Amino acid sequence: MGETFAVEARDAVKVYGTGVNAITALDHVSVTVSRGEFFTLLGPSGCGKTTLLRCIAGFETPTSGAILLSGQDITEEPPYRRPVNTVFQSYALFPHLTVARNIGFGLEMMGKPKAEIAETVARMLALVRLEEFAARLPQQLSGGQQQRVALARALAPKPQVLLLDEPLSALDLKLRKEMQGELKRLQLETGITFVFVTHDQEEALTMSDRIGVMRAGKLQQVGTPRDIYDRPANRYVADFIGETNFLTGVVEGGAVRLGSGDLVRAALGGQTGTVTLAVRPEQIRVVATNAPGAIPARITGKVYFGTDTHYHFALVDGTEVVARLQSRAQGEDDLPKGVEVGLQFEDSSVQVLGP
Amino acid sequence: MTERRKRFAIETLPGFTAIAIAAFVMLYLPIVTLVAYSFNGGSSVAVWGGFSLHWYEVASQNAAVQGAAARSFIIAASAAAIATTAATMAALGTTRRGKFTGQTFIYLMINQPLMVPEIVTAVALLIFFASIKVATGYSGLGYLILAHSAFCIPFAYLPIRARLEGMDGAMEIAAADLYANPWQVFRRVTLPLLMPGVAAGAMLAFVISLDDVVITEFVKSAGQDTLPTYMLGQLRRAVTPEVNAISTALLGMTVILLTAFFLLSKKRD
Ligand SMILES: Nc1ncnc2c1ncn2[C@@H]1O[C@H](COP(=O)(O)OP(=O)(O)OP(=O)(O)O)[C@@H](O)[C@H]1O
Ligand SMILES: [Mg+2]
């Protein structure tokens, strides 16, 4: 017997509507989430992230395929019989109940004794640092406070899995950063498996143990943030996560001949013919034109970002390349527009993506 | 060049203000007169005989008025309760389960009392209940309560449905997510959130029942006068300011209930 996963989707398909109006929101999605893991679903709007969460929570039934929780098939179970809780994007706090009653709602529905409910609610209020707000109604709280109540409410029944559907998207940047740290802390403290949805790639990279990148109902790649960033499975993933230069060339020996005529070494893994190379902007070095292996380029522009500066280059055939260089003190190393330089790619950083 | 056109506005038409004032006078002068004469010390409905609460005293000590008031209240309260319950279920059935075939038809059925002439309903009920009376021998207030419940349903239904449609389905999903079974979802979330609509519907139903003349007149058995039918009977004989006093009391009650109704229907969350 292998590991039993906290959550597993087996070949899940979800089709909304019928006939010509049919929309395939999930297209044969298979994925496993381990116990205690912080797993993130990442993808653009409409790619099916919410649909997958709703299938796990039980608000939707997959058209085909199965959902398993700790190895048990729960595909047909109604939501109230699943030990899974959701933090909704809109929070969906009960407006007629106080903060404390909101947080205790799940336990109350489970028929837990009053003393236990009171004790858990108090602990949850402390966990999300809202002790003095217990008697307030949700509409008397700020957005960030409501967010924390929603979190406490979903955590109170100690679910096996917590589903979070873009829980931070309604917050401003500063609060968002704060809540990211808070979420991570809560996950570590409670040890609960988190399935987190976002379309913010930075959020996904900084918070997750593993990320599943989705596109149009299909999972494109599942892996650690490093895997996804350093070894994107395809052009879509490389483009979606961070910025990337895409360079087309033809395999020639152990290297790739670019359109500009320059040779770039890469781990080809047996690929031949036309391939696409992906190079991250921060993995490009600017060197003298006569340095060994340097690709000649001309600076066409630059954008200052504070900690670093984005330089735009044109190779001899006009191919555009962007490099990110750390800004130095007092504008030293400041390269003016029009200057001819050499570019070096770190060998290990060049990813081969196929044509 | 942008040419500024003169906007057509009905309130700029000549005579608009005059017509508006005339309409308000037509609406409220008779009511004001009625209320004023309920405090008339004399015994005429047309000649002022000084301020007095005499007619209120007469009305409140009149056994027939007391009986009619009690019946009016019992019927209105029962009809409001029955109609509101039925309307709540109807509203949940028509809004909480997505589109289904025959939805418009059911909607029309529920609102039938608003469209069928009242006199037709009254005659139909008279004939229908007459045969039941013969068959069962029962001739209590039940017929009036049932009849009132029926025509009060659409009035109770409209505010409840409006409230339901404005309600966020996310609350119910969140409750189900937190281990509430369908009945608990309804009891703990749907119903409390629906309550202002239900209360508004009940009040409207109560007022509508309290006001009814036509159907009551046809359906009632002997000795089952409500306040409005009692007044109608009085007007056929001698007209005394006692009727003004009863009318004013009814009016006061209606105004209070309708004010509460508007406050409740405006209430958000
Ligand atoms: N109830 C529904 N009926 C019909 N189509 C739906 C329904 N819910 C979602 N869809 C469609 O399914 C697809 C996936 O939707 P989903 O809500 O899962 O996307 P998402 O990845 O969560 O997007 P977002 O980031 O915008 O929230 C979309 O094309 C959407 O229009
Ligand atoms: Mg979504």
Side-chain angles (χ1 to χ4, degrees):
Chain A
M1 274 299 297
E3 180 192 1
T4 54
F5 297 102
V7 189
E8 182 175 357
R10 272 194 197 151
D11 208 25
V13 174
K14 179 68 194 180
V15 181
Y16 288 113
T18 51
V20 285
N21 296 321
I23 296 167
T24 306
L26 293 180
D27 193 355
H28 298 278
V29 171
S30 290
V31 65
T32 57
V33 181
S34 300
R35 224 171 280 282
E37 192 174 26
F38 196 119
F39 186 89
T40 298
L41 285 167
L42 176 65
S45 188
C47 72
K49 306 180 296 290
T50 297
T51 304
L52 184 53
L53 277 202
R54 290 174 64 87
C55 285
I56 298 172
F59 312 138
E60 296 295 350
T61 312
T63 312
S64 71
I67 304 291
L68 287 82
L69 206 71
S70 298
Q72 281 194 341
D73 190 330
I74 53 154
T75 317
E76 300 296 331
E77 288 284 312
Y80 61 93
R81 289 219 200 97
R82 301 183 182 204
V84 170
N85 290 146
T86 308
V87 178
F88 297 90
Q89 183 172 355
S90 57
Y91 311 149
L93 298 176
F94 305 124
H96 60 300
L97 300 180
T98 61
V99 166
R101 290 290 301 281
N102 262 282
I103 296 175
F105 191 87
L107 294 164
E108 209 182 310
M109 294 301 112
M110 291 165 110
K112 297 279 187 218
K114 280 216 160 56
E116 186 188 332
I117 297 177
E119 191 261 321
T120 310
V121 168
R123 201 155 33 78
M124 286 300 142
L125 282 167
L127 196 65
V128 296
R129 305 189 177 114
L130 284 175
E131 290 98 330
E132 61 271 46
F133 297 96
R136 295 242 197 134
L137 288 173
Q139 58 268 41
Q140 299 167 322
L141 299 180
S142 73
Q145 290 164 342
Q146 291 184 19
Q147 165 65 68
R148 299 216 290 276
V149 175
L151 206 58
R153 184 179 71 172
L155 282 171
K158 262 205 156 297
Q160 287 181 25
V161 178
L162 189 71
L163 307 174
L164 304 103
D165 193 353
E166 306 200 30
L168 309 181
S169 61
L171 306 179
D172 64 50
L173 191 67
K174 189 166 172 294
L175 202 51
R176 206 179 158 121
K177 293 278 174 225
E178 223 173 280
M179 283 303 298
Q180 287 177 0
E182 195 99 332
L183 266 184
K184 196 69 201 166
R185 173 180 71 87
L186 283 173
Q187 199 252 339
L188 291 173
E189 273 176 35
T190 57
I192 292 173
T193 310
F194 275 35
V195 180
F196 183 86
V197 161
T198 182
H199 55 237
D200 179 337
Q201 42 124 341
E202 190 186 315
E203 199 166 274
L205 288 173
T206 54
M207 299 178 72
S208 323
D209 296 322
R210 281 191 312 146
I211 299 173
V213 183
M214 286 185 77
R215 174 198 193 184
K218 286 198 177 77
L219 264 176
Q220 300 289 307
Q221 185 176 4
V222 178
T224 64
R226 264 230 102 86
D227 284 341
I228 302 255
Y229 191 83
D230 288 346
R231 286 175 294 283
N234 54 39
R235 182 170 179 146
Y236 176 81
V237 175
D239 201 23
F240 194 75
I241 312 274
E243 283 157 75
T244 306
N245 294 295
F246 292 110
L247 304 167
T248 329
V250 182
V251 175
E252 203 178 292
V256 175
R257 174 88 56 199
L258 300 183
S260 59
D262 301 295
L263 260 183
V264 176
R265 268 181 301 167
L268 277 163
Q271 292 206 62
T272 54
T274 305
V275 293
T276 301
L277 300 180
V279 188
R280 298 286 184 193
E282 69 276 13
Q283 288 163 334
I284 297 175
R285 276 193 309 269
V286 179
V287 294
T289 39
N290 55 6
I295 300 169
R298 189 168 44 79
I299 299 177
T300 56
K302 63 180 173 188
V303 185
Y304 179 68
F305 277 91
T307 56
D308 46 37
T309 305
H310 290 196
Y311 283 91
H312 292 251
F313 300 95
L315 303 187
V316 291
D317 66 335
T319 307
E320 201 185 315
V321 174
V322 179
R324 186 151 78 210
L325 304 182
Q326 250 178 30
S327 308
R328 304 277 165 77
Q330 305 290 322
E332 124 196 27
D333 281 351
D334 207 6
L335 299 165
K337 227 167 117 169
V339 167
E340 303 282 344
V341 295
L343 300 180
Q344 273 180 352
F345 304 153
E346 292 168 29
D347 290 357
S348 62
S349 69
V350 178
Q351 295 296 309
V352 185
L353 297 173
Chain B
M1 271 306 288
T2 51
E3 183 197 350
R4 276 197 69 156
R5 279 220 210 138
K6 210 173 148 189
R7 188 173 68 92
F8 172 79
I10 194 158
E11 66 270 21
T12 61
L13 287 182
F16 178 83
T17 314
I19 291 172
I21 291 174
F24 275 106
V25 168
M26 279 298 293
L27 264 176
Y28 288 103
L29 191 57
I31 295 178
V32 169
T33 314
L34 173 119
V35 171
Y37 273 89
S38 74
F39 299 106
N40 192 358
S43 60
S44 160
V45 288
V47 184
W48 185 248
F51 179 87
S52 144
L53 290 176
H54 171 70
W55 292 109
Y56 285 90
E57 214 172 298
V58 170
S60 66
Q61 279 162 11
N62 180 341
V65 174
Q66 286 169 359
R71 270 188 293 279
S72 269
F73 186 80
I74 291 169
I75 293 169
S78 313
I82 295 171
T84 307
T85 308
T88 304
M89 295 195 288
L92 285 168
T94 48
T95 51
R96 264 296 178 268
R97 36 179 293 189
K99 295 255 170 280
F100 56 91
T101 42
Q103 199 165 19
T104 313
F105 178 70
I106 287 179
Y107 186 71
L108 287 175
M109 292 282 285
I110 293 165
N111 290 304
Q112 171 267 346
L114 296 179
M115 289 167 284
V116 176
E118 206 181 353
I119 189 82
V120 174
T121 310
V123 171
L125 286 170
L126 171 72
I127 296 167
F128 181 65
F129 284 153
S131 55
I132 297 182
K133 269 183 207 177
V134 169
T136 63
Y138 172 73
S139 59
L141 279 184
Y143 298 109
L144 277 173
I145 291 174
L146 273 184
H148 278 230
S149 303
F151 70 75
C152 283
I153 286 175
F155 296 97
Y157 174 76
L158 292 174
I160 296 173
R161 185 183 138 108
R163 178 87 192 169
L164 253 184
E165 278 179 342
M167 228 165 85
D168 193 354
M171 296 301 151
E172 284 153 331
I173 290 180
D177 188 56
L178 291 161
Y179 313 103
N181 62 37
W183 168 246
Q184 287 173 316
V185 172
F186 177 72
R187 263 297 289 116
R188 309 302 287 274
V189 175
T190 315
L191 197 56
L193 293 179
L194 199 56
M195 224 40 219
V198 172
M203 264 169 220
L204 203 53
F206 189 91
V207 168
I208 297 292
S209 163
L210 208 58
D211 271 359
D212 180 71
V213 175
V214 178
I215 289 176
T216 312
E217 189 69 32
F218 276 67
V219 172
K220 76 181 163 78
S221 307
Q224 288 187 339
D225 265 320
T226 61
L227 277 180
T229 60
Y230 170 80
M231 285 156 60
L232 191 65
Q234 286 301 296
L235 290 172
R236 290 208 187 102
R237 290 178 226 128
V239 186
T240 66
E242 186 188 8
V243 170
N244 291 33
I246 300 171
S247 302
T248 304
L250 261 181
L251 179 69
M253 182 116 177
T254 308
V255 168
I256 290 170
L257 284 171
L258 285 183
T259 308
F261 166 76
F262 279 114
L263 291 180
L264 277 172
S265 16
K266 278 212 297 199
K267 188 177 167 192
R268 288 272 110 231
D269 290 324

